[in-house]
Amino acid sequence: MMRLHNREELQALRKEAEQNLHAAKMRILICAGTGCIASGSKEIYDRMVELTENHEGVAVEFDGEVPHPEIRKSGCHGFCEMGPLVRIEPMDVLYIKVQASDCDEIFERTILHGEPVERLLYERDGVRYQAQEDIPFYAKQTRLVLKNCGHIDAEHISEYLAVGGY
């Protein structure tokens, strides 16, 4: 990353980062919090990379430009007992208790055909919730400091800049 000398350079960098972030048609965010890693999110991450690498027209890159679909590690969502968690954007789908064996179905149904895998959605009292923000656990929360957890790759400062960081 280049050295910034003034506010205008920061604003220009932020605008570029925001454009790159929103250029992705599909983002796959896999929770890399301690609880999710202990439950197998690393294997899910590795499998999703395999699935996208061998698919014509789909590129995966971990530094720099934003490809389609993009696979990233996200920070902890705070819903550890439901992990590993996988978020698909911009569809606003949150999958819970995902296993590496679910990756092929997620890729085929959600990534390629845009349909959610119902059995991986959070369900409570007979109601299935597709969007993370609608899940009762999150619905009454007002996240300030942690509002971007689960939505951006915490290992890439450009994503933090893209959502207004600094």
Side-chain angles (χ1 to χ4, degrees), residues 20-39:
N20 288 338
L21 182 67
H22 296 299
K25 293 182 178 153
M26 186 74 62
R27 290 169 41 94
I28 305 167
L29 294 149
I30 300 165
C31 180
T34 306
C36 286
I37 288 173
S39 297

Side-chain angles (χ1 to χ4, degrees), residues 7 10 21 40 77 82 109 119 139:
R7 177 179 281 189
L10 174 62
L21 182 67
H77 294 241
M82 292 295 150
R109 291 183 57 196
R119 67 180 179 77

Side-chain angles (χ1 to χ4, degrees), residues 15-56:
K15 184 176 181 178
E16 179 184 344
E18 186 177 5
Q19 288 171 343
N20 288 338
L21 182 67
H22 296 299
K25 293 182 178 153
M26 186 74 62
R27 290 169 41 94
I28 305 167
L29 294 149
I30 300 165
C31 180
T34 306
C36 286
I37 288 173
S39 297
S41 67
K42 173 75 168 88
E43 291 79 16
I44 294 165
Y45 182 84
D46 291 341
R47 181 64 185 140
M48 289 307 253
V49 169
E50 286 176 30
L51 288 168
T52 57
E53 277 180 339
N54 298 322
H55 192 270
E56 187 176 319

Side-chain angles (χ1 to χ4, degrees), residues 71-95:
I71 300 173
R72 295 284 194 182
K73 293 180 238 178
S74 73
C76 178
H77 294 241
F79 205 24
C80 301
E81 69 272 15
M82 292 295 150
L85 302 172
V86 174
R87 184 179 176 94
I88 311 294
E89 292 183 347
M91 292 178 61
D92 202 19
V93 173
L94 180 70
Y95 290 134

Side-chain angles (χ1 to χ4, degrees), residues 13-27 29 64-67 70 72 89-90 148 151-153 156-164:
L13 184 61
R14 177 177 289 130
K15 184 176 181 178
E16 179 184 344
E18 186 177 5
Q19 288 171 343
N20 288 338
L21 182 67
H22 296 299
K25 293 182 178 153
M26 186 74 62
R27 290 169 41 94
L29 294 149
E65 298 304 311
V66 180
E70 181 182 359
R72 295 284 194 182
E89 292 183 347
N148 294 314
H151 297 275
I152 64 170
D153 183 344
H156 290 82
I157 196 161
S158 62
E159 292 199 21
Y160 180 59
L161 287 170
V163 295

